[in-house]
Amino acid sequence: MTLEVALENLAADTDTWASAADTITTMSSSLGGLTLGEFVFTGRGYAAGVAYEEVRAHMESLTSDGGTELNDTVSTLRKIHADYADNEAAATARYNGMWTYDG
């Protein structure tokens, strides 16, 4: 496997992580809009409303944290890709100046 192929694979993996980050961030935003009042349920409405809000808020928090972690992962992968590409370009320039090929 060449470095070029590895960098292409890293870029594809990064795109997959970015897609997952977008999905979970959208989920978190959607959960934020699902807030209900404490008395929205009939019968045992108050207890059900409180339980619903606890679960909803917990899920919103988890997905928000997950989105943050995934976005951090994407940033790290992009930095790794850029570092590899920069190092490869620098090494190529350095070695090209060392030898000449007379074919």
Side-chain angles (χ1 to χ4, degrees):
M1 177 187 293
T2 67
L3 180 62
E4 185 177 326
V5 171
L7 288 176
E8 289 172 6
N9 290 340
L10 179 58
D13 287 348
T14 302
D15 290 344
T16 300
W17 284 99
S19 177
D22 290 345
T23 299
I24 200 166
T25 299
T26 300
M27 248 194 260
S28 180
S29 296
S30 295
L31 285 163
L34 296 176
T35 302
L36 298 176
E38 296 169 339
F39 299 103
V40 72
F41 297 102
T42 57
R44 296 182 41 96
Y46 180 76
V50 169
Y52 170 84
E53 180 55 26
E54 286 176 3
V55 171
R56 187 214 56 79
H58 182 68
M59 292 302 297
E60 181 184 9
S61 175
L62 290 175
T63 54
S64 176
D65 292 348
T68 299
E69 291 297 323
L70 287 173
N71 280 313
D72 289 349
T73 300
V74 169
S75 294
T76 300
L77 290 171
R78 286 185 176 143
K79 178 160 179 17
I80 290 167
H81 185 279
D83 288 348
Y84 271 116
D86 291 347
N87 288 338
E88 179 68 8
T92 299
R94 186 172 55 248
Y95 293 128
N96 281 340
M98 294 177 148
W99 298 290
T100 58
Y101 177 70
D102 293 334

